[in-house]
Amino acid sequence: MTNVLRKYVSPGWLLVAPFLALVVLLYLGPILNILWLSVTEPQPGLQNFEKLVTSDTIARIIWTTVRICVVTTAFSVMLGYCIAYAMVHAHQKQQHLMLTLLLVSFWISILVRTFSWLMLLGRNGLVNNGLEAIGVIAEPIAFMRNELGVLIGMVHYMVPYAVLPMLVNMQTLDTRVMSASRNLGASGQQTFFRIYLPMTKPGVVAAALLVFILSLGFYVTPAVLGGGKVLMVAEYISVQLLVTLKWGTAAMLASLMLFGVLAMLYLMSKFMKLSTVFGGSTS
């Protein structure tokens, strides 16, 4: 039996098999349990999924979530593209500095960043006080407890995630193509829009999908900066679990998010290898 296993299964897989089994048990098990709860709580059937078309509250929350995620993705990708472009074309020493700053932003807790924005954009925060001091505004601007505050916090958190896939993509481009375009008489603007931008399309698509997927599960930032007035799916799931105890509805929404993420990953794999998003080989 042992010889048969060695013939058909690599020894490396045998070494990691216990850990793979543990991963399946700890990750796949709860996911399957959520799917099961979505069609069995409070009674077997599809009544939880029927709420997607019968409940105005759930429809509004899903629309709010999708709208905020789309806007967050658009701004994060635009800002991330500029940062990635600057990093690729900067001097090597400056590249290291910019990459270090980018990595530092990953190490700062989302809770710390969110409360920092709360201090900066509050009615008596630095931004409002500064604008009032120079006479730009007469009364404080309501940055918090609305979608504007949530978007500012989410875009700030998501920009580094948008930078990485595009940075990886830009670093793999053949710069001789751009040089050839310039030598053939194209201006810098023409070379960028007709050559460079299309060649970075896979990185842009990967960044957009990555940011959108991560934005779907945002909880802390909408809860703190939205002040309860901007309810997204993740926070609504928490309410269903902890307050109203409607586990079936929470499991249905969690399943919906899971299927949405899987669909996004499938689309993402059509444009580029998923490993390249995290700095893996493109070959």
Side-chain angles (χ1 to χ4, degrees), residues 167-203:
L167 180 64
V168 172
N169 175 249
M170 291 178 184
Q171 287 176 333
T172 59
L173 297 182
D174 189 348
T175 56
R176 293 175 299 181
V177 179
M178 273 64 78
S179 300
S181 172
R182 297 298 299 273
N183 291 335
L184 290 173
S187 65
Q189 189 176 17
Q190 289 174 324
T191 301
F192 177 80
F193 284 104
R194 295 187 179 183
I195 306 297
Y196 194 87
L197 190 57
M199 291 177 69
T200 56
K201 183 180 175 182

Side-chain angles (χ1 to χ4, degrees), residues 257-276:
M257 291 179 66
L258 174 64
F259 292 134
V261 168
L262 292 177
M264 289 291 177
L265 289 175
Y266 175 76
L267 289 174
M268 194 172 176
S269 67
K270 292 295 182 183
F271 289 95
M272 66 184 301
K273 290 181 64 176
L274 295 180
S275 60
T276 59

Side-chain angles (χ1 to χ4, degrees), residues 86-101:
M87 290 178 69
V88 170
H89 293 85
H91 188 271
Q92 189 172 12
K93 188 175 180 180
Q94 295 172 329
Q95 281 185 5
H96 291 161
L97 177 61
M98 296 173 74
L99 187 59
T100 301
L101 293 175

